[in-house]
Amino acid sequence: MPIRRAKPAESLYAEVADYDLVVTPDAALASAINRRLDRPHFGTFATTPRRLAAGRREQAEDRRAFLELVTETDHDWKAVAYAVGNVLQCWEHTGRLGAILEYDAYVDDATREVVEVMRSLRTTSKRLSEYTVDGDRSVAVVGHDQLTELERSVLPEEFDRVDPFTDEAFDYPPFHVFESATDVVAALLDTVSARNAEHVAVVLDGGGKYSSLVESAFEAADVPFYGGPGFADDPHHRAFVRLLRLCFRGSETTVGDAAPVLSQLGIDAPIADRERRLEAVDGPGVAWLRAFRDGVEDRTFAEALDAYASEADAELTRFDEELERLGLADDPVTDGAVDRLAYYLQTYEVPVDRDNEGVLLADAKSSAYVDRPVVFHLGMGEEWTHSAPQRPWVDAEAQFDRYVGSFQRLLQSGDRQYYLVQDAAGGEPITPCLYLGDLLDEEFERFSDLDSVEHRRRPRSTGARFERESTGVDAETVETVSQSTLNSYVNSPRDYCFGRLLETPDRERFVEGTLFHDFAEFYVNHPDVVAAADADDLVDAMIAEAEAFFSAADEPLRRRTYRIGLDLITEYLDEEGPASDDFLTPASGWGTNFFADYFDEPIDSPLTERWFEDDALGVKGKIDLVRSPTDLLDYKSGRKKRQTQVVKSAALDPPADAPDFQAALYLTYYRTVRPDERLEFTFFHFLEPMADAVAGDADLDDALTTVTYHPNSFDEYVGSREAYETLLDGYNDCRETFEDLGYAAYREIAASLTFPETTDRDDLRASEFAAEFTAAVDAATSAEVDAEKGADQAVRELNGVRKRALFREDLDAFESFVDERLDELNARRAGEERFPVDGLAGEPNYRRVDNRDLLLEGDR
């Protein structure tokens, strides 16, 4: 069915002007009709049933009933709230207070008690059930179908119905489609100002993203508005409740957990401390919070509120009054009581005094009519759809019709309507409000399928924006990148950019990882000093350095982990450590070392923590250990990766889902130090055998992953003696076939063929190379071997080597890749283009980003 055209307030007034009383389903429409009244009228003219019965503005009777009941019963607050909601809803839809007692599934002690209390409580519903309009008055009812059974009970036997709609269809205006929510709000601010605020209304989801965005934007632009933040949204009210919750979180509470409270108190907590436990951080503000927490259970709620208000230098009289109404003011602060207070504030809207001036912010699910000349409708997605009450006393079809009727009138509020929407977010289409599908005859899945106007991102025209000013200074050119920088940039350039601009907190894994690295470095330099030390003392020192990040309950596990980690590192370096350092230049003295400070001994070996920076290659880094002239080693505390995983993580076209270029970058640099040599890069995952170490049978080989660099091309390698020997160590048919073939014949066959670029096993088997290679091997071997099967196994084995190692062309391509990224990075730093959210492989791997909250969905 089409959207029916709603009658404007002027037309409705013309129809009902001669009646004594006009009843409407919502207060805003009644007020609009009253504003058109052009003759003297004694008493109420247009009103809602509830205002008519109560003789005053409607109040939230569910909250009022709840406040009455929680001070009179011993029932759980959630049970009381649930019962109150059910009783009032059933009363609303059946017209009888005790009707809920007919539904056994919803009857319990709390429900019975609520019903009994409400029999004497003077709620608006009670007044409605007792009130009837005087039959001598002429009555017009606008939108009778929108009234519930309880509301209809006040009507006299005779009254006239006025349809709020005409028989014509409403030709709705086009949807203005924007790329993001921020663009929607920017367009709103282009139109709304303090001068025209009184003529504008904004309809949105009161609990959604647009609400906070619009409120913040209006505040920044000094545009007055009302109908926005409620009692629970007050910054001090939120901070106080959060403070009370923090008091019962225990010793694991971090500075980051307390940061919103500290910020509201005007206390600046260093970002580096955000992941440290509150217990381990010093500072006057943090000390006050700890003292408050330690003494909170000796205080009443009123005393706790006074302490917070004094520290925040704020007046919180309204909160104090609400504590009195709840009967909590003189109660001691306990974990359960704090939960009850938080539940109440989340469940009920506490009235606040507002200056009804400026732009009217109307909730799309609570409003059916807005009487302003200009009305903006924002979002209009699924969040505008009501959740239909799933209760047996609710006529679901009738209720849905009420929702659709309210929605139709809301769409037509104002002399001019503007529908501002997003078409997609995060790459997914935004589903329009369900009611549009019921009202429009055309098929659609998203707003752009309807009559719409697309708006591309454009500069804001208001003065309230950040202006770009030239500093007269050229952007500093980045000459080199580290492996971690390159990993971050390739995953998401925008995340990399924020990582450069913002401070980041110290993290547990980084602190612990640094301690293990420092120990390994120190041990290479001073094995005798470590051997003479008490291992438990070393673990104690590590615990003291890292304890700010974990609770006391975790300490035994940490001690065991640290001790095993030190033992495994020591064992490996004793067995496989470097024998000489005469092949290297002296150390650079780069960085500090925890254990060097602990023992007061210098670190001067050129083998450890060796810094490199090569402007020609554009790379830099720090080699944990140079084991031999051709073997580099890096310590890892995380999970072990296989050789194929390491090589796959260094893929370039396209990059891997979790790019990791460490091995490729370090080997690219080191091959300039040892040109034309076979090199190895080994990851030592020293905590990998921890479970076996506890059992006493740890094997260090299980902790090692070594990637080999071959200084020749893969095709050259395929024809080499090394490749041939690899085949002789392979499967039985492969070994027999190539023993029979011999190296000279193998080299001749390999020299005439080019191995395909694909690494997919099925594609490789089906390739022309595989066919020619198999035919050549078969022709050159005896009938006693299965040459076809042996050749197939050989191709698979060679492909496996390629997937486990790096070759000359791989690092040549990596050098070019780094050059391209540096050119691209410096162009973006110079302002030639934005840093995009998406990396080279498309959408970033969000598990690998550090600034997730700053990467807006759909912002590319």
Side-chain angles (χ1 to χ4, degrees):
M1 63 177 182
I3 301 175
R4 298 176 62 196
R5 179 173 291 281
K7 297 174 182 176
E10 291 79 8
S11 298
L12 286 173
Y13 173 69
E15 286 191 56
V16 301
D18 294 332
Y19 288 88
D20 297 325
L21 177 66
V22 179
V23 178
T24 68
D26 52 274
L29 182 58
S31 298
I33 293 174
N34 285 331
R35 280 193 288 271
R36 272 71 177 179
L37 194 61
D38 57 4
R39 58 180 174 78
H41 185 86
F42 181 74
T44 301
F45 179 58
T47 189
T48 65
R50 290 183 172 274
R51 286 190 179 181
L52 184 64
R56 50 181 163 76
R57 290 178 62 87
E58 297 173 50
Q59 294 187 353
E61 61 180 340
D62 55 348
R63 172 177 164 270
R64 184 178 172 219
F66 175 84
L67 290 172
E68 290 281 347
L69 284 156
V70 293
T71 57
E72 295 184 14
T73 74
D74 296 326
H75 293 295
D76 178 78
W77 283 20
K78 291 185 179 181
V80 172
Y82 179 75
V84 166
N86 281 338
V87 169
L88 287 174
Q89 187 189 75
C90 186
W91 196 353
E92 185 78 36
H93 285 271
T94 63
R96 295 178 293 114
L97 169 58
I100 193 170
L101 300 177
E102 300 170 8
Y103 299 91
D104 293 341
Y106 295 90
V107 179
D108 56 17
D109 291 342
T111 303
R112 294 188 188 93
E113 194 163 342
V114 167
V115 171
E116 290 306 312
V117 171
M118 283 191 171
R119 291 191 191 281
S120 58
L121 196 63
R122 299 299 292 170
T123 61
T124 305
S125 293
K126 175 73 169 176
R127 294 173 183 270
L128 269 171
S129 63
E130 297 173 345
Y131 185 87
T132 303
V133 176
D134 186 349
D136 294 336
R137 301 169 70 183
S138 58
V139 177
V141 178
V142 178
H144 179 269
D145 292 342
Q146 296 295 111
L147 301 178
T148 64
E149 287 299 322
L150 183 57
E151 290 172 329
R152 293 173 186 174
S153 68
V154 305
L155 300 176
E157 291 186 4
E158 294 185 5
F159 58 87
D160 292 329
R161 301 188 185 193
V162 177
D163 193 338
F165 297 100
T166 69
D167 293 331
E168 301 174 3
F170 172 64
D171 186 14
Y172 64 90
F175 292 91
H176 294 269
V177 179
F178 294 86
E179 295 181 1
S180 70
T182 51
D183 290 342
V184 169
V185 177
L188 180 67
L189 283 182
D190 283 344
T191 305
V192 182
S193 66
R195 293 191 303 274
N196 60 20
E198 295 291 337
H199 304 287
V200 175
V202 177
V203 182
L204 39 67
D205 173 26
K209 62 183 178 182
Y210 285 104
S211 181
S212 56
L213 287 173
V214 169
E215 290 160 15
S216 299
F218 281 165
E219 287 177 358
D222 291 326
V223 176
F225 65 93
Y226 68 97
F231 180 90
D233 297 316
D234 182 280
H236 282 301
H237 294 174
R238 281 204 312 268
F240 177 64
V241 175
R242 183 185 285 265
L243 174 61
L244 294 181
R245 283 195 176 281
L246 285 174
C247 292
F248 298 96
R249 289 195 57 172
S251 61
E252 296 184 13
T253 303
T254 66
V255 173
D257 296 330
V261 176
L262 295 171
S263 177
Q264 195 60 40
L265 291 171
I267 299 168
D268 183 23
I271 291 176
D273 290 338
R274 291 297 174 92
E275 294 196 8
R276 288 184 163 87
R277 289 182 303 112
L278 208 59
E279 304 289 337
V281 177
D282 295 324
V286 174
W288 176 88
L289 196 153
R290 283 200 297 262
F292 180 94
R293 179 200 61 192
D294 294 341
V296 71
E297 291 183 277
D298 296 326
R299 288 180 166 137
T300 64
F301 275 92
E303 290 168 344
L305 183 64
D306 287 343
Y308 171 84
S310 176
E311 184 68 19
D313 192 22
E315 289 287 339
L316 299 177
T317 305
R318 187 67 186 82
F319 204 121
D320 195 41
E321 293 172 354
E322 206 61 27
L323 290 175
E324 290 284 353
R325 287 192 180 91
L326 288 166
L328 287 177
D330 298 324
D331 286 357
V333 178
T334 63
D335 193 8
V338 171
D339 285 342
R340 290 195 295 273
L341 173 62
Y343 173 76
Y344 167 73
L345 294 176
Q346 292 166 1
T347 304
Y348 297 106
E349 184 65 42
V350 180
V352 295
D353 295 329
R354 301 183 188 276
D355 295 326
N356 292 343
E357 297 178 355
V359 177
L360 168 62
L361 302 185
D363 189 336
K365 289 190 285 191
S366 301
S367 306
Y369 180 82
V370 179
D371 189 25
R372 287 289 177 97
V374 179
V375 180
F376 291 91
H377 300 70
L378 269 57
M380 304 183 71
E382 288 181 302
E383 69 279 1
W384 276 40
T385 306
H386 294 78
S387 297
Q390 301 296 315
R391 295 292 186 269
W393 52 79
V394 177
D395 184 334
E397 185 175 345
Q399 186 62 37
F400 182 80
D401 289 341
R402 291 191 189 100
Y403 289 150
V404 172
S406 296
F407 180 76
Q408 288 186 88
R409 287 191 290 136
L410 187 61
L411 286 182
Q412 301 175 58
S413 294
D415 299 327
R416 285 177 291 167
Q417 305 89 22
Y418 297 95
Y419 304 158
L420 311 185
V421 301
Q422 273 183 269
D423 203 41
E428 296 294 328
I430 289 179
T431 304
C433 178
L434 171 66
Y435 308 133
L436 283 171
D438 195 66
L439 292 170
L440 301 179
D441 294 331
E442 49 202 306
E443 294 290 330
F444 64 92
E445 293 183 356
R446 55 203 301 170
F447 288 109
S448 58
D449 295 336
L450 299 166
D451 182 16
S452 58
V453 178
E454 187 174 348
H455 297 267
R456 294 290 182 183
R457 184 173 286 110
R458 55 193 172 79
R460 288 266 308 281
S461 62
T462 71
R465 65 175 183 264
F466 292 110
E467 298 287 354
R468 174 178 290 185
E469 297 180 5
S470 174
T471 61
V473 178
D474 293 335
E476 183 178 341
T477 301
V478 175
E479 301 290 348
T480 56
V481 291
S482 66
Q483 58 93 10
S484 59
T485 294
L486 189 60
N487 294 343
S488 174
Y489 180 79
V490 169
N491 184 48
S492 172
R494 184 78 58 85
D495 183 58
Y496 155 83
C497 178
F498 283 128
R500 297 280 294 178
L501 295 173
L502 303 174
E503 291 185 71
T504 56
D506 293 337
R507 291 188 170 93
E508 174 186 344
R509 67 180 187 275
F510 294 153
V511 172
E512 290 185 334
T514 299
L515 287 172
F516 281 120
H517 277 73
D518 286 356
F519 174 79
E521 179 187 19
F522 186 83
Y523 188 76
V524 171
N525 282 264
H526 301 287
D528 53 335
V529 174
V530 174
D534 187 318
D536 288 337
D537 290 342
L538 300 185
V539 172
D540 287 342
M542 294 175 70
I543 290 289
E545 183 71 8
E547 65 179 350
F549 296 96
F550 58 82
S551 68
D554 291 335
E555 185 175 326
L557 176 60
R558 301 281 173 169
R559 284 187 175 278
R560 184 173 64 177
T561 301
Y562 293 175
R563 180 59 184 267
I564 291 174
L566 298 186
D567 288 345
L568 290 173
I569 290 172
T570 302
E571 181 182 348
Y572 174 78
L573 291 174
D574 285 343
E575 295 179 5
E576 304 291 341
S580 170
D581 62 8
D582 57 8
F583 58 90
L584 288 175
T585 57
S588 61
W590 184 91
T592 61
N593 184 289
F594 174 81
F595 288 95
D597 295 338
Y598 177 81
F599 286 109
D600 194 20
E601 295 282 358
I603 297 290
D604 52 15
S605 170
L607 296 168
T608 59
E609 303 293 309
R610 189 168 183 87
W611 176 258
F612 65 87
E613 187 162 6
D614 191 316
D615 289 347
L617 292 175
V619 297
K620 60 184 177 183
K622 179 164 58 68
I623 303 170
D624 286 350
L625 178 66
V626 184
R627 275 193 64 245
S628 74
T630 59
D631 187 3
L632 309 180
L633 182 131
D634 194 80
Y635 302 103
K636 295 293 183 185
S637 57
R639 296 288 301 275
K640 180 184 174 182
K641 292 182 178 179
R642 299 187 304 275
Q643 293 167 309
T644 52
Q645 290 175 306
V646 174
V647 173
K648 186 177 181 180
S649 295
L652 305 178
D653 186 22
D657 178 57
D660 186 350
F661 300 109
Q662 184 176 10
L665 188 147
Y666 282 41
L667 288 169
T668 294
Y669 163 73
Y670 207 64
R671 73 171 177 169
T672 64
V673 178
R674 312 289 299 193
D676 301 322
E677 293 190 52
R678 187 177 186 272
L679 306 175
E680 291 185 342
F681 189 93
T682 298
F683 293 101
F684 177 26
H685 298 268
F686 54 87
L687 293 180
E688 183 71 18
M690 191 169 76
D692 292 333
V694 172
D697 57 353
D699 186 348
L700 288 176
D701 289 340
D702 294 338
L704 302 174
T705 299
T706 299
V707 175
T708 301
Y709 164 67
H710 298 274
N712 44 17
S713 69
F714 180 64
D715 272 339
E716 292 170 344
Y717 170 82
V718 167
S720 69
R721 168 70 71 172
E722 181 180 355
Y724 178 73
E725 296 292 339
T726 299
L727 299 183
L728 297 186
D729 286 337
Y731 298 104
N732 289 336
D733 288 309
C734 181
R735 183 179 68 253
E736 292 172 359
T737 297
F738 288 91
E739 282 179 346
D740 186 89
L741 178 66
Y743 173 62
Y746 168 76
R747 182 178 58 188
E748 183 178 347
I749 292 171
S752 65
L753 299 173
T754 299
F755 210 89
E757 292 187 5
T758 181
T759 59
D760 181 82
R761 185 168 63 179
D762 292 337
D763 291 345
L764 196 54
R765 281 174 158 176
S767 67
E768 183 178 345
F769 164 85
E772 293 179 1
F773 180 74
T774 301
V777 170
D778 188 35
T781 53
S782 66
E784 297 177 357
V785 299
D786 188 343
E788 183 176 349
K789 191 172 182 180
D792 179 67
Q793 291 174 351
V795 170
R796 287 162 52 193
E797 182 62 33
L798 292 170
N799 190 46
V801 172
R802 178 168 57 175
K803 288 162 50 172
R804 296 191 300 269
L806 294 169
F807 294 85
R808 185 176 62 215
E809 63 265 31
D810 297 322
L811 297 194
D812 289 346
F814 182 73
E815 286 188 24
S816 299
F817 180 79
V818 171
D819 288 340
E820 292 169 4
R821 299 291 74 74
L822 281 170
D823 290 343
E824 183 182 78
L825 169 60
N826 285 311
R828 288 167 176 167
R829 283 171 57 87
E832 295 179 16
E833 62 175 284
R834 300 179 71 200
F835 282 85
V837 172
D838 285 352
L840 290 175
E843 183 176 81
N845 182 335
Y846 282 107
R847 295 183 307 238
R848 298 297 185 97
V849 302
D850 295 319
N851 305 280
R852 180 65 183 88
D853 292 346
L854 299 176
L855 306 185
L856 302 180
E857 293 286 353
D859 186 3
R860 297 292 182 260

